[in-house]
Amino acid sequence: MEQDETMDAVVTRPRAQRVAKGKPAARRITRDEVIAEARRLGASIVGFAPVARWAEHGEIPPAYHPEALWPQARTVIAFGVPMLLPVIETTPSINYQEHYDTSNRLLDEISFRLAVWLNEAGHPAMSLPRDGYGSLEILLANPFASFSHTYAAKYAGLGTVGMSRNLLVPQYGPRVRLNSVFTATEFDGDPELAEELCTKCRICERTCPTGAIRARDDGILGDLDKDACTRHHIALRDEKRWPCGICVKVCSIGEDRHLYGNRSMKRYLDERPALEKNPDDLRYRPLVHVRRHGSGGSRIA
């Protein structure tokens, strides 16, 4: 039999046939399946935000909208993992730093693996890092990330933004770390929370170690001195006990406070002056014990 095709044609024909057929049809995926996969990977809360919500609210500059970063984006899948209150209460400590780092690694893995899972089912998706800066010094010079996971979670109905500019969620208050996945698939959005969770009790303002949070009379959001906040974090990082997390620690919002039986805000307000007066105050002995081990510096509050 006479061979009428070159070897190159034989080799390239399967690829050409695949190209001719076009993109394979996406497998239908429901919102519940996405939530189940995100939770299987480790997320505790998951929500969906149509990209149109960024323009509807007008809170975020257009350059920071999802479709500005990736034109194919139609839905943002926001998710979070909790930070455990008893560990946060030890801040500043190496225990909290390791806790924070663990949550960050988990968030990055969830984002990547969820995006791959969507892609393999025929739904274009991209993952994002949980933080958008390379170092605290870079953040000091340019105090913005390329995308806000806080507002993505707000628009996905997971919570509201409090006076400290942290996202507050019913389950954990601000004791939650966040990340997002963009997808070109349109999913129905979750309803946004109708009521603000922040009570504007101002305890975050009163306990901030640098005075970086200042209440405003014209709304929930406070003024935040990002420079002072970041410089404090640099000092804590150099002591191997960052981030600060005081505003996260003291917030009264969150069902986790009922879980741990910890609802006393007075204890937080008293902590610094009490330890300055008596470093061995029995009320705070477990926290001081942790702070005295594994980190540099001598601060105990």
Side-chain angles (χ1 to χ4, degrees), residues 61 69 74 105 108 121 124 126-127 136 141 157 167 172 193 221 224 243 266 277-278 301:
L69 303 181
R74 296 296 178 268
R105 289 191 297 270
D108 282 349
M126 63 170 280
S127 63
L136 288 169
L167 185 81
Y172 312 109
L193 297 193
L221 291 185
L224 178 63
K266 185 177 185 301
K277 181 179 180 180
N278 177 17

Side-chain angles (χ1 to χ4, degrees), residues 154-169:
K154 174 188 174 183
Y155 300 153
L158 296 180
T160 64
V161 182
M163 196 180 105
S164 65
R165 297 180 177 256
N166 289 305
L167 185 81
L168 311 183
V169 304

Side-chain angles (χ1 to χ4, degrees), residues 15-62:
R15 177 180 179 277
Q17 289 173 345
R18 288 197 299 271
V19 172
K21 291 179 181 178
K23 186 177 72 172
R27 175 173 68 82
R28 183 177 179 274
I29 292 179
T30 66
R31 282 168 38 98
D32 286 345
E33 287 178 292
V34 175
I35 293 170
E37 180 65 11
R39 292 186 65 88
R40 186 187 72 80
L41 293 172
S44 292
I45 54 174
V46 187
F48 297 78
V51 298
R53 288 184 179 173
W54 273 255
E56 290 168 2
H57 282 277
E59 297 172 300
I60 304 296

